[in-house]
Amino acid sequence: MTMSNTGGRRKPPTIHDVAREAGVSRGTVSRVLNGGHYVSPAAAEAVNAAIRRTGYVVNRHARSLITGRSDSVGFLLTEPQERFFEDPNFNVLLRGCTQALAAHDVPLLLMLAGTDDERRRITRYITAGHVDGVLLVSSHSGDPVAEELRAAGVPLVACGKPIGLGSKVSYVAADDRDGARDMVRHLLGLGRRRIGVVTGPLDTPGGVERLAGYREVLAEAGVEEDERLIVSGDYSRASGESAAERLLGRAPDVDAVFVASDLMAQGVLAALQRAGRRVPEDVAVGGFDDSPAAVAVSPALTTIRQPWDRISAEMVRVLLAQIGGEETAAVILPTELVKRASA
Amino acid sequence: MTMSNTGGRRKPPTIHDVAREAGVSRGTVSRVLNGGHYVSPAAAEAVNAAIRRTGYVVNRHARSLITGRSDSVGFLLTEPQERFFEDPNFNVLLRGCTQALAAHDVPLLLMLAGTDDERRRITRYITAGHVDGVLLVSSHSGDPVAEELRAAGVPLVACGKPIGLGSKVSYVAADDRDGARDMVRHLLGLGRRRIGVVTGPLDTPGGVERLAGYREVLAEAGVEEDERLIVSGDYSRASGESAAERLLGRAPDVDAVFVASDLMAQGVLAALQRAGRRVPEDVAVGGFDDSPAAVAVSPALTTIRQPWDRISAEMVRVLLAQIGGEETAAVILPTELVKRASA
DNA sequence: CTGAAAGCGCTTACAG
DNA sequence: CTGAAAGCGCTTACAG
């Protein structure tokens, strides 16, 4: 009575069918499948033809059982999920990784570890060898997952420098500090001298590094640092809004703000507008990310572009290399200043 | 010299180790693993203790090889990816599905089929049995993937009604038509009579159904239909903006607009503002989705909430049931009017 | 270059 | 209720 499987998933052809069809042994078929070494051209051709005729597709489970590899990788998100799922960068990263992996015929398993319970289950799953490696997105320090996986010897590449783990874990990151420097120099170049900053969380590399870049440039330029100009947010739009209110209260003479994310900059813009300040005339605003939010907003945001497509491609490259036995590596990619209307 | 794998992935314990540890046969261990039927309480307890002591985790590849199931499902996106990756609903859906699946210990493979080439490869991968079923996100008609997978007998649940496939494919959808009716009734209740509509693409169920709801309510209310009040977009912000410009040109006396997505409504708001119309005083605007954009915008959008958390949960439930042998099913979930400032 | 054979770790009738 | 055994589809030394 079951209609759902009408159409029927008939038993797919195996290596045995291909061997019979090609008139060779199964070993030879397998050799063709695995690179074609030690196979005569004639045999290889016969096998390839047989594969085409039969529509053969390798059974990955059988292969994995014997090789001990899964030929798949995990994309692990350990953020409290709400926030990062709202971050447009996440989509770009996830899509880029999926595509880069697909080019190598490697499936991506999406894993969410928001709660301790999920974390335990996923760590267990990963260390049991069900994926060959992990792309890790987790910017907060104190996240135990990275350390657990590293200790278990699981190939691992983090997005952004994992605070506390130094270079024991591979990572790919944009040059946050340099991007911040570029933006603050740009604001100085506009003649602004009372430049505020809305930082990200200071337990994330982006939070720390972008603030560091801000300080460096001001020091170089001989502009005296003023703690009242430094406020923190958590990368959310709402936190940008309240940070800007604090900033305005503490330093009403502020004439520019470098905001560590476009999402927060959206909030800053709203607060500035409500306070009757014109952007960029009264206060210039610079963001960070070049996310879709940067152009959705009015005035459009001058911001720092992070090379997300390159980041995802590099993460995949480094992970695959590490799975292949190479050592860990850190890759730092340059950012780019994108000038629009807000500064 | 390789540092990457220090820490070492030692060979994990197998069912054989557990059997030895528990003093039973491997068959008995397997029976405990698979539901504990036909196992004495004493044996079950010994096995569970041995599993705990050894830290045993089942090797899914070995299991899959023999059962013919993969115990994993694919999440397949066939949209031209750019658009949907910008859609905030996508994140909610993806997260919900991942979590619902994780609760059943079923990994989710993310699959992107934006190009014909990717489509072919993925179809092949799926029909080869590498996943047990597919959660399909593809709203445009004429998408061949759904039909191919259905024909191959792959368990399949679509998000939204797949146009053209009728009920031969399971799907879960919000009640688009009813949601549209609620919104238009609300606008009528505000005293508006020149109500425009910005539809979605008319080869998507959301495009068709939301327009149908609009027409039904106007007809019921005895308001004469006016083709000049009907314009189409493609769910993007930009298309909303240009649709609103067209609408304003064709029907300058418009006093309300029902927009088929919040993202488009953002664009409509921008166009209205530029044209000097106040919202909601001159023109009331109603959106659809209750996405983050709805509250990010000013004035905050009155909109129709789609129950995305329920949608993802139901998609997973129906897919798992279908993998278990049940017939196809369609699930329609109610929407909810969320009143804010724009209407 | 090629075939025969062992074996990866599991599940599932089959006897008992 | 339980054990012994076959077998899922593949890869990989091992002989030749």
Side-chain angles (χ1 to χ4, degrees):
Chain A
M1 280 313 232
T2 301
M3 300 296 287
S4 64
N5 281 0
T6 313
R9 297 180 95 167
R10 62 188 76 258
K11 226 164 189 302
T14 72
I15 208 174
H16 187 249
D17 300 316
V18 175
R20 182 160 19 77
E21 184 84 9
V24 299
S25 74
R26 296 177 312 174
T28 298
V29 174
S30 180
R31 274 176 223 114
V32 172
L33 255 26
N34 291 283
H37 304 303
Y38 305 106
V39 180
S40 66
E45 197 178 333
V47 168
N48 283 131
I51 287 175
R52 244 172 286 124
R53 278 201 298 282
T54 56
Y56 171 79
V57 178
V58 68
N59 180 320
R60 285 170 177 249
H61 302 304
R63 173 180 284 174
S64 291
L65 182 54
I66 192 158
T67 61
R69 284 176 283 112
S70 72
D71 291 324
S72 68
V73 318
F75 184 101
L76 175 56
L77 203 55
T78 70
E79 289 283 336
Q81 296 147 17
E82 290 62 35
R83 181 181 315 148
F84 210 64
F85 259 91
E86 271 186 36
D87 189 329
N89 297 321
F90 167 69
N91 283 354
V92 182
L93 189 68
L94 180 58
R95 173 174 48 170
C97 288
T98 304
Q99 284 178 157
L101 248 10
H104 291 271
D105 216 31
V106 175
L108 175 150
L109 305 210
L110 181 61
M111 304 172 163
L112 269 26
T115 68
D116 277 5
D117 226 43
E118 290 171 344
R119 227 192 56 225
R120 248 189 305 279
R121 175 142 45 91
I122 287 170
T123 305
R124 209 175 152 81
Y125 183 88
I126 293 172
T127 53
H130 293 316
V131 293
D132 294 337
V134 173
L135 300 166
L136 181 67
V137 177
S138 147
S139 47
H140 285 265
S141 69
D143 185 335
V145 175
E147 174 51 26
E148 278 176 43
L149 295 179
R150 192 200 61 73
V154 178
L156 189 65
V157 177
C159 176
K161 181 171 184 172
I163 290 186
L165 285 173
S167 50
K168 281 184 288 192
V169 165
S170 292
Y171 65 89
V172 177
D175 195 334
D176 285 301
R177 187 181 297 216
D178 199 58
R181 276 194 292 247
D182 284 346
M183 179 59 80
V184 178
R185 268 193 216 106
H186 173 69
L187 296 174
L188 284 170
L190 259 28
R192 311 298 165 119
R193 287 298 175 274
R194 293 292 289 163
I195 303 176
V197 60
V198 177
T199 78
L202 294 176
D203 61 344
T204 67
V208 172
E209 294 293 317
R210 293 170 202 173
L211 174 58
Y214 162 86
R215 288 192 153 126
E216 281 179 20
V217 170
L218 290 191
E220 280 169 25
V223 174
E224 202 182 348
E225 193 171 311
D226 181 345
E227 281 300 326
R228 285 170 302 183
L229 288 169
I230 302 178
V231 290
S232 288
D234 64 7
Y235 288 139
S236 75
R237 196 196 122 98
S239 79
E241 199 159 340
S242 70
E245 285 164 3
R246 256 174 295 142
L247 185 60
L248 250 17
R250 289 158 54 165
D253 61 336
V254 64
D255 60 9
V257 191
F258 164 45
V259 191
S261 85
D262 288 349
L263 220 51
M264 289 198 295
Q266 263 194 331
V268 169
L269 251 28
L272 251 21
Q273 194 176 2
R274 235 194 350 263
R277 310 287 181 108
R278 290 165 309 162
V279 175
E281 295 82 354
D282 302 329
V283 182
V285 174
F288 206 102
D289 285 341
D290 196 24
S291 73
V295 289
V297 100
S298 171
L301 275 177
T302 290
T303 187
I304 299 292
R305 175 175 299 155
Q306 300 206 61
W308 286 107
D309 42 344
R310 288 192 64 198
I311 291 176
S312 53
E314 285 296 301
M315 284 180 73
V316 167
R317 190 187 60 70
V318 171
L319 182 63
L320 260 23
Q322 205 165 314
I323 290 171
E326 286 187 23
E327 306 196 15
T328 60
V331 177
I332 311 292
L333 269 11
T335 60
E336 189 193 346
L337 175 68
V338 180
K339 293 183 201 170
R340 297 208 181 85
S342 72
Chain B
M1 279 315 228
T2 301
M3 300 297 288
S4 64
N5 278 1
T6 313
R9 297 181 95 168
R10 62 190 77 260
K11 222 164 191 303
T14 72
I15 207 173
H16 187 249
D17 301 314
V18 175
R20 182 159 19 78
E21 183 84 11
V24 300
S25 74
R26 296 177 312 176
T28 298
V29 174
S30 180
R31 273 176 223 114
V32 172
L33 254 26
N34 292 282
H37 303 304
Y38 304 106
V39 179
S40 66
E45 196 177 335
V47 168
N48 283 132
I51 288 176
R52 245 173 284 126
R53 276 201 299 281
T54 56
Y56 171 80
V57 178
V58 68
N59 181 321
R60 284 172 178 249
H61 302 305
R63 173 181 283 174
S64 291
L65 181 55
I66 192 158
T67 61
R69 285 174 282 113
S70 72
D71 291 324
S72 67
V73 318
F75 185 101
L76 176 56
L77 203 54
T78 71
E79 289 283 334
Q81 297 147 17
E82 289 64 35
R83 182 179 314 147
F84 210 63
F85 260 92
E86 273 186 35
D87 189 329
N89 296 322
F90 166 71
N91 283 355
V92 182
L93 189 67
L94 180 58
R95 173 173 48 169
C97 287
T98 304
Q99 283 179 157
L101 247 11
H104 291 271
D105 216 30
V106 175
L108 175 150
L109 306 209
L110 181 61
M111 304 173 162
L112 268 26
T115 69
D116 277 5
D117 226 44
E118 292 171 344
R119 226 192 57 225
R120 249 188 305 278
R121 175 143 43 93
I122 287 170
T123 306
R124 209 175 152 81
Y125 182 88
I126 294 172
T127 54
H130 293 317
V131 292
D132 293 337
V134 173
L135 299 166
L136 181 67
V137 177
S138 149
S139 47
H140 285 264
S141 68
D143 184 334
V145 175
E147 174 52 25
E148 278 175 45
L149 295 180
R150 192 200 61 73
V154 178
L156 189 65
V157 177
C159 175
K161 182 172 183 170
I163 290 185
L165 285 172
S167 51
K168 281 184 288 192
V169 165
S170 293
Y171 66 90
V172 177
D175 195 334
D176 286 301
R177 187 181 295 217
D178 199 57
R181 275 194 294 246
D182 284 346
M183 179 58 79
V184 179
R185 267 194 216 106
H186 173 68
L187 297 173
L188 284 170
L190 260 26
R192 312 298 164 121
R193 285 300 176 274
R194 294 291 290 164
I195 302 176
V197 61
V198 178
T199 77
L202 294 176
D203 61 344
T204 65
V208 172
E209 293 293 317
R210 293 169 201 174
L211 174 57
Y214 163 87
R215 288 191 154 126
E216 282 180 18
V217 170
L218 290 190
E220 280 169 25
V223 174
E224 201 181 347
E225 191 170 311
D226 181 345
E227 281 300 323
R228 286 170 300 182
L229 288 168
I230 302 179
V231 290
S232 286
D234 64 7
Y235 288 138
S236 74
R237 195 197 122 99
S239 78
E241 199 159 341
S242 70
E245 285 164 3
R246 258 175 294 142
L247 186 58
L248 251 16
R250 290 157 54 166
D253 61 335
V254 62
D255 60 9
V257 191
F258 163 46
V259 192
S261 82
D262 288 348
L263 219 51
M264 290 198 294
Q266 260 194 332
V268 169
L269 251 27
L272 251 20
Q273 194 176 2
R274 236 193 350 264
R277 309 288 182 108
R278 291 167 308 162
V279 175
E281 295 81 353
D282 302 330
V283 182
V285 174
F288 207 103
D289 284 341
D290 195 25
S291 72
V295 289
V297 101
S298 169
L301 275 176
T302 291
T303 186
I304 298 291
R305 173 174 302 154
Q306 299 207 61
W308 286 107
D309 43 342
R310 287 193 64 196
I311 290 176
S312 52
E314 285 295 302
M315 285 180 71
V316 168
R317 189 186 61 70
V318 171
L319 182 62
L320 261 22
Q322 206 165 314
I323 289 171
E326 285 187 25
E327 307 197 14
T328 60
V331 177
I332 312 291
L333 268 12
T335 61
E336 188 192 346
L337 175 68
V338 180
K339 292 185 202 168
R340 296 207 181 86
S342 72

